Amino acid sequence: MSAFADAHFRYDDDPDLPGWKRWEMLEEGRFNAFIGALSVRQEGKVARVRTTFGRQHSNLRDHIHGGALTGFIDMALFAAGRGFGVLSGPASTLDLSVQFISGGAIDVPTEAHVELLRETGRLLFLRGTVVQEDVMVASFLGTVRKPSIK
């Protein structure tokens, strides 16, 4: 793990979910802290990234707010990259396309299932879906630029 990752994130065994890792921002007050800790589990070519949204993440329909869901998806790209062992340090999202399919329920475990489509020297191409139990909430495509090696 890079010194950057050590200074800003914790990535270790999740005490609440055996077999999962917890990816957590160490600094409160950052946007990532608003979403909360994420649990990550790699299963073959798919990384499962999980959180549970609360009322503070809801819209007036009592669904997960689209901005909170998009923020979670963005963070899931990085948590999945870490889970795949291909990403650490200060990377950047180059693009993210989200298709909202159904309203996400509050207080229900929410998972992004992320697949690494391709890795180049500088880029990660990822896609996935967001699900709650048997309900598909969203689908997405994203490109992440890996950190520069110095």
Side-chain angles (χ1 to χ4, degrees):
M1 185 183 326
S2 74
F4 175 86
D6 285 340
H8 298 284
F9 294 97
R10 178 180 305 128
Y11 185 79
D12 50 19
D13 292 339
D14 190 323
D16 300 325
L17 292 169
W20 293 68
K21 295 287 191 182
R22 178 174 286 176
W23 191 69
E24 184 172 16
M25 182 79 172
L26 296 175
E27 295 179 62
E28 291 192 27
R30 299 271 187 177
F31 181 80
N32 296 48
F34 171 71
I35 298 296
L38 304 179
S39 299
V40 183
R41 180 182 180 129
Q42 186 173 346
E43 296 180 350
K45 294 183 179 189
V46 174
R48 293 172 57 192
V49 182
R50 177 186 285 190
T51 194
T52 300
F53 291 95
R55 187 172 194 286
Q56 72 274 23
H57 304 112
S58 68
N59 60 24
L60 295 176
R61 297 182 69 158
D62 287 325
H63 291 144
I64 302 166
H65 189 284
L69 191 60
T70 301
F72 165 65
I73 292 168
D74 183 64
M75 290 171 53
L77 298 176
F78 291 83
R82 177 80 179 131
F84 291 133
V86 297
L87 187 62
S88 67
S92 302
T93 304
L94 294 182
D95 79 1
L96 177 59
S97 172
V98 179
Q99 299 76 45
F100 299 104
I101 297 169
S102 178
I106 300 301
D107 297 324
V108 174
T110 304
E111 288 190 10
H113 296 175
V114 185
E115 180 183 2
L116 177 61
L117 298 175
R118 183 164 188 242
E119 176 186 12
T120 68
R122 295 296 309 245
L123 302 175
L124 302 175
F125 298 90
L126 304 119
R127 73 174 168 200
T129 56
V130 176
V131 298
Q132 291 183 318
E133 298 167 347
D134 293 332
V135 176
M136 185 176 300
V137 176
S139 65
F140 58 90
L141 290 168
T143 307
V144 172
R145 182 177 176 148
K146 298 190 288 188
S148 300
I149 298 172
K150 295 181 181 185

